[in-house]
Amino acid sequence: MRIAFRPSPCPGVPPVIARRLDMPEIMVFAAEGRTVEQKRGLVKDLTEAMVKNFGVPAEVVTVQIVEAPKTDKAKGGVLFCDR
């Protein structure tokens, strides 16, 4: 494995940390129930947005979907399973 370093774009930030900033990770928290097709569409759109707005290659963008059972997630004091 080869690790490449480049100068930090931010004064005072070591190159190793600056490199990690180029590898964005997006976490999506949601109640369970979306289809695989919906998840595919979401991660594709989020990745494209990072490429466009952050100027990074798609290969470095990580998207993680964290699903919670509807019995374990609430909004306004009401469980999602009770909505």
Side-chain angles (χ1 to χ4, degrees), residues 43-57:
V43 299
K44 180 179 180 290
D45 291 347
L46 289 172
T47 300
E48 288 173 358
M50 292 300 287
V51 170
K52 176 184 174 187
N53 294 291
F54 278 30
V56 296

Side-chain angles (χ1 to χ4, degrees), residues 23-35:
M23 298 170 44
E25 181 168 351
I26 301 167
M27 295 187 71
V28 177
F29 294 89
E32 66 184 355
R34 278 29 178 237
T35 67

